[in-house]
Amino acid sequence: MGRPVFLGKAYIHWCEECNVPLIGDSCAVHGKEKVFRLNITPPGDLRFAFEKDIEFIRSVFNEHYGVDVGELFDGKIVLLNKTPGEDDVYEIILDGYVFGWMRFDPLELRWRPGLKVEGAIALWKRFKKNMNKWIIVDKGAVGPIRNGSNLLPVGIIEAEPSIQKGDDVVLVSECGEVIATGIAKKDYEELVNRERGTGVKVRRQKSVNYREGRKATMGDVLHANSIELERKVEEARRFMRKTIARYSELPVAVAFSGGKDSLVVLGLALEEFGNEFTVFFNNTGIEFPETIEYVEELRKELEPKGIKFIVANAGDAFWRAIHVFSPPGRDYRWCCKVTKLGPITMAIKENYPKGVLMFVGQRKYESIKRFKQPRVWRNPWVPNETGASPIFHWRALEVWLYIFSRGLKYNPLYEDRLDRIGCFLCPSASLAEIYTLKEEKPELWSRWEDELKRWQKRFKVPDEWITYGFWRWKKLSKGEKGIAKELDVEVPEERSWEPVRYSIAETEEGVFTVHFNTVVNLNRIRKVAPILGEVEESENYIRAGDVVFREDGAYTEDFNEGVQAYYLVKRAYECVGCGVCVGKCPEGALDIDPRSRKIVVNYDLCTHCRECMDVCPLLKIKNPKEGSQL
C-alpha cells in the first residue's frame, strides 16, 4: 500500500462517563476528570462506523467466530481506524478500547477478522464455547504465554474443531480467563494430536483495558466535543481570513468534489464569507452517478443564494484518452491530468484569467505527499490557482463531527461502505475498495472490467491481472511482484503502450533521421509546429526550428531535437485536449480546437519557450540515450 503517513504515536481521548471519543483532552460535560487516553495504530485518521459498516463487521466476524457480535455494538459509538497493511486494515474501537480489526487478504481476496484481548474477553464472556476458534490451554502454559512465548501443542487441553492453519484464535485458561489471542500455525487435528512445532503464534499485548460502557448517541458525542470542535472551527476560519488578506488581489473560491472534506471547507466558507465566493466542481466523467446527483442538488441550493457555481467538465476525455495511454496506474497517473487538472485549469482561465485563491479540503493524514505539502501552495500543473487548506490538520473524526454538528447533507455513498468518494475506477484504490465497489455498485465495476478485459487481450496477460488488481501499476511494485510469485502467475513487470513509436538513426553526413511507425501528417504538424521554433513551409515539408518534417519522417542535425520532433508528432497525433498546457503557456498561445479536441498554436503569440512540453502528460517518458547508426 506504499509508505503510511506517520505523524508520531497516535491516540484518542475518551470520556469514560459519556462513553464517547473526544478530539481534545477534555469533555465539555465532565471536564478532564473522567477522560483517559487510548493508544491506536498510526496515523490515527479515525471515522465513525455507519450502519452498513456495522452490518459488514457482523457478517465478517460471524463467519469466522460463529456468533453475532452485533449486540456488543448496539447503541454504542463505533469507530474505524484505517491502518497500514498489505491492503486495507481497520481497527474497530468501542467502549474506549480496541475491539479488534478486519484485514483484507490480497491473496485470498476476502476479509479476515482478528481480536485484541479486550475483544476476545467481550466475546468469551457472552458466548463461551458456543463461539468458534477458541483453545483451552494448560495452566502451566499461562505464565509463558503472558510473557510472550508462543503456544506449543503440548500445552493444549482442548480446541474448537473448526480451527485451520492461519486462523485468528482465542487462548483461554482452564479457569475460563482469556489470556491472549494469536494465529494458529496448525490445523485442529495437528493441534489436538500435539504434533511438534509451534501451535499458535501468540500476539503480544502489553496491557488489557477491557471495560463495558453505557449506550451513547451521536448527540452525546457532539455535546462532549462541542467546545473543542468550535476551537478547531475558529482556527480554520482565522486561517481563511489571513490567507485572503495575504492574497487580496485574487477572487475566492472553494473546490468541491462531492466528498466529506470539501463539504467541510464549503461549510466553513459559508460561515465566513456568506455568498462572496465561487464553487468549482470538477466532473471527471468517471464520477459515481450518486455524486453527480448530490452535487446537482447542492448547486440548486447554492445558486439562489447568490453563490456562483462553476462545473469544470471533462466529458468523455477519460474514455478517449485511455486508447492513447492504456489503463492508468498508481505510477502512471495520466488520468488526473486529463480529467482533473486540465479541465479545472481551463475553467479558471475562462472565468478568472488573473487566477484564483482556491480553498480545498486536503488533509495531512491522507498521504505522504499531502503530509509534506504546505498549507498554502502553488500547483505547477494548475498555474492559475493558489491552493489553501483550512482543515489540513483535521482528522476524519473532526470532519464528521463538523458535518453532523451543522446538519450538512453529505454524499450518500459514505453510507454504502465507500471510504473515499472520487473516480470509481481510481488506480489508487485498494483491492478491498475494488471488491467493495463490485459488491455495492456492480454496474460500474462491470463497465470498467469490460475495458480492462480489452487491454488484457492486448497485453496478453492472465486473468489475475484483473482479479488481483495488477492493472493498477504500469511497473509492478515490489509488493505486487511478491503477490504474483505467491500466486505463481506470470505478470509482466512493466507494461508498455505507445501508439506512435519512433527510432533515430544517424547518417554518415551527421543528419539524424527520425522514423515513425506512421506517415507524418503535415497538416496536423502545421497546427503545433511553432512550439519547436520559427516555421517555414513548402508543399513537401515543414521546417520548425532546427527540424524538417516530411511525410516519411523528421530530419535534424541535433539528436536532442530529434527527440523533440518525436514529442511534437506525439502531441499532434495523440493529444486528448486535456488543456493542462493551455494554462501553462505564459503567452496564451495555446488553445483547444473544439472540433478535433486537440491543441492548436497561435503563430503570432508563440515564443517557442517549450514550457508546454514540460507539462504534457503524453511526454512523461524516458529519453533514449543514443540513436542507431545507418
Side-chain angles (χ1 to χ4, degrees), residues 21-288:
L22 301 173
I23 58 175
D25 61 358
S26 179
C27 172
V29 180
H30 298 99
K32 296 186 177 183
E33 184 179 354
K34 297 291 185 177
V35 174
F36 63 90
R37 195 171 97 166
L38 170 65
N39 292 325
I40 55 178
T41 303
D45 195 25
L46 309 101
R47 70 172 177 87
F48 295 103
F50 287 97
E51 185 176 341
K52 267 197 173 182
D53 293 316
I54 300 294
E55 291 175 4
F56 188 68
I57 293 170
R58 292 173 65 177
S59 68
V60 172
F61 276 78
N62 192 2
E63 182 181 355
H64 186 76
Y65 293 103
V67 293
D68 185 3
V69 301
E71 64 181 74
L72 298 175
F73 300 161
D74 286 345
K76 302 291 182 69
I77 299 299
V78 180
L79 302 181
L80 297 178
N81 180 34
K82 196 171 188 177
T83 68
E86 289 180 298
D87 206 80
D88 280 1
V89 182
Y90 286 96
E91 283 182 335
I92 304 163
I93 300 166
L94 74 154
D95 282 345
Y97 67 85
V98 179
F99 173 80
W101 57 86
M102 295 192 305
R103 174 180 66 86
F104 190 81
D105 191 316
L107 291 172
E108 297 183 7
L109 300 178
R110 68 185 182 95
W111 288 92
R112 298 178 66 99
L115 292 168
K116 295 276 283 186
V117 172
E118 290 89 339
I121 292 172
L123 284 192
W124 185 258
K125 185 176 180 180
R126 283 161 177 75
F127 302 107
K128 305 296 185 187
K129 291 184 179 180
N130 291 320
M131 63 181 283
N132 297 337
K133 314 302 180 184
W134 51 264
I135 294 175
I136 308 297
V137 303
D138 182 88
K139 61 182 179 181
V142 172
I145 287 173
R146 283 180 167 158
N147 289 328
S149 296
N150 292 327
L151 174 63
L152 299 177
V154 70
I156 295 175
I157 294 177
E158 185 181 359
E160 194 274 319
S162 73
I163 294 174
Q164 295 181 329
K165 184 178 179 180
D167 280 350
D168 206 277
V169 297
V170 176
L171 305 184
V172 184
S173 69
E174 290 181 84
C175 62
E177 180 186 5
V178 174
I179 55 174
T181 62
I183 302 295
K185 307 304 289 184
K186 298 181 185 299
D187 294 335
Y188 166 76
E189 293 293 341
E190 296 171 310
L191 292 173
V192 295
N193 290 333
R194 299 189 173 185
E195 294 189 10
R196 297 182 64 180
T198 300
V200 176
K201 182 175 177 57
V202 175
R203 192 174 289 114
R204 297 184 181 183
Q205 186 170 328
K206 291 183 179 180
S207 61
V208 178
N209 301 297
Y210 173 75
R211 57 183 295 278
E212 290 187 43
R214 71 174 184 85
K215 292 185 177 183
T217 66
M218 187 55 64
D220 296 325
V221 182
L222 291 172
H223 193 186
N225 286 282
S226 57
I227 296 175
E228 188 62 31
L229 177 62
E230 294 312 313
R231 284 179 184 153
K232 284 193 169 289
V233 169
E234 177 51 35
E235 189 282 329
R237 291 178 60 177
R238 185 167 58 250
F239 167 80
M240 295 172 87
R241 290 194 295 272
K242 288 183 177 180
T243 306
I244 284 179
R246 180 180 173 188
Y247 297 94
S248 57
E249 74 282 3
L250 295 176
V252 178
V254 168
F256 184 66
S257 68
K260 67 183 190 305
D261 299 329
S262 61
L263 176 60
V264 169
V265 175
L266 177 59
L268 291 169
L270 287 167
E271 290 184 25
E272 186 64 34
F273 311 131
N275 63 355
E276 297 180 1
F277 66 96
T278 299
V279 175
F280 278 86
F281 170 64
N282 180 199
N283 184 351
T284 62
I286 42 178
E287 303 287 336
F288 286 92

Side-chain angles (χ1 to χ4, degrees), residues 521-541:
N521 185 326
L522 295 181
N523 287 329
R524 185 58 203 146
I525 294 298
R526 185 175 291 108
K527 302 283 188 181
V528 296
I531 293 172
L532 294 190
E534 293 295 334
V535 178
E536 174 191 324
E537 294 188 46
S538 80
E539 185 178 348
N540 299 318
Y541 73 86

Side-chain angles (χ1 to χ4, degrees), residues 288-352:
F288 286 92
E290 291 88 344
T291 296
I292 300 300
E293 293 174 10
Y294 166 64
V295 172
E296 180 60 17
E297 290 177 8
L298 193 67
R299 183 190 66 79
K300 291 178 180 178
E301 180 183 324
L302 293 177
E303 285 186 333
K305 297 178 180 179
I307 295 174
K308 188 175 181 180
F309 201 102
I310 297 172
V311 178
N313 200 335
D316 64 349
F318 177 86
W319 301 105
R320 288 186 290 108
I322 194 171
H323 301 295
V324 173
F325 291 98
S326 78
R330 293 185 176 191
D331 56 343
Y332 190 45
R333 298 285 292 276
W334 62 261
C335 49
C336 291
K337 299 171 182 65
V338 169
T339 67
K340 294 182 179 180
L341 301 179
I344 200 69
T345 298
M346 297 285 283
I348 293 173
K349 181 181 180 182
E350 180 181 347
N351 291 275
Y352 299 105

